[in-house]
């Protein structure tokens, strides 16, 4: 079989609608969607429209490679949203994939206890994830090619004649 899980933009459009339908069917009505940049922005935007949620927030999480190759932990980049603003709020954390689940665990634990409720929604979840997301579009153990990160960054083209 294919070694990669491939998501195209058209398939993402279907996936995010189906994910939203699952959340609606479950009766969860989040006040705020908290996206994890950058991949989670696509998911959060799609879920926001599909669920009619206009209050979207962003958290930036990066991995720092520690001394020695085994250390691999996610770190929040400032500015970090003030959880005091989220007390009494039902939060939906949105990301593209839960792989090790460390990123989602960091954000989930950051919210838990400070907000009314927090649940997680992802397009993909892998079996090793230490966070079991409430809402998952598809389970896979393959490496995923996302449409937004499968292509290299664009570079400036030289020698283009723009005006005749
Ligand atoms: P975590 O291991 O914390 O669950 O995932 C951290 C981040 O690694 C994800 O948000 C995503 O950006 C990246 N990542 C993990 N698995 C994959 C994958 O299969 N494909 C791609 N393109 N990125 C991944």
């Amino acid at each position: 079989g294919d070694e990669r899980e491939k998501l195209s933009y058209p398939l993402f459009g279907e996936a995010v609608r189906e994910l939203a339908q699952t959340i609606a069917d479950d009766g969860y009505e989040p006040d705020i969607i908290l996206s994890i940049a950058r991949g989670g922005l696509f998911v959060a935007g799609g879920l926001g429209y599909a669920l009619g949620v206009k209050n979207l927030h962003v958290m930036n999480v990066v991995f720092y490679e520690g001394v020695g190759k085994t250390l691999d932990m996610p770190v929040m980049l400032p500015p970090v949203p003030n959880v005091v603003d989220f007390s009494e709020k039902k939060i939906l954390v949105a990301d593209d994939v839960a792989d090790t689940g460390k990123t989602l665990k960091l954000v989930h634990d950051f919210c838990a206890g400070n907000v009314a409720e927090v649940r997680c929604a992802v397009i993909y979840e892998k079996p090793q994830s230490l966070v079991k997301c409430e809402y998952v579009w598809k389970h896979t153990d393959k490496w995923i090619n996302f449409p937004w990160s499968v292509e290299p960054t664009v570079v400036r083209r030289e020698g283009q004649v723009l005006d005749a």
Side-chain angles (χ1 to χ4, degrees):
D2 210 330
E3 293 173 21
R4 296 254 171 141
E5 183 79 35
K6 287 171 186 161
L7 188 68
S8 63
Y9 275 113
L11 186 56
F12 165 71
E14 293 179 36
V16 78
R17 288 289 303 187
E18 289 174 14
L19 187 60
Q21 189 65 61
T22 305
I23 295 164
D25 289 346
D26 195 44
Y28 191 55
E29 296 180 349
D31 301 298
I32 291 171
I33 298 176
L34 180 57
S35 66
I36 305 177
R38 291 169 289 177
L41 286 168
F42 295 91
V43 183
L47 291 178
Y49 275 108
L51 294 170
V53 177
K54 296 179 178 178
N55 199 342
L56 270 63
H57 288 251
V58 184
M59 283 188 61
N60 291 283
V61 180
V62 294
F63 277 93
Y64 274 85
E65 300 222 336
V67 189
K69 291 170 185 173
T70 52
L71 260 186
D72 190 26
M73 55 190 301
V75 174
M76 290 182 262
L77 274 187
V80 172
N82 190 351
V83 282
V84 174
D85 299 338
F86 296 161
S87 59
E88 315 298 315
K89 300 294 186 192
K90 284 181 285 179
I91 309 295
L92 182 67
V93 178
D95 206 354
D96 49 3
V97 50
D99 188 318
T100 65
K102 288 179 182 176
T103 300
L104 267 170
K105 188 182 188 323
L106 181 73
V107 176
H108 180 276
D109 293 355
F110 175 74
C111 293
N114 296 301
V115 305
E117 193 170 0
V118 56
R119 298 187 188 180
C120 296
V122 291
I123 302 289
Y124 293 102
E125 185 178 276
K126 301 194 185 179
Q128 67 270 17
S129 175
L130 50 89
V131 167
K132 300 305 169 195
C133 296
E134 284 83 0
Y135 309 110
V136 178
W137 178 67
K138 189 173 182 181
H139 292 86
T140 186
D141 57 4
K142 296 174 184 171
W143 183 260
I144 306 146
N145 282 352
F146 289 103
W148 40 84
S149 55
V150 73
E151 304 286 347
T153 55
V154 295
V155 293
R156 184 183 184 183
R157 291 175 293 192
E158 298 295 342
Q160 299 288 309
V161 180
L162 296 176
D163 51 343

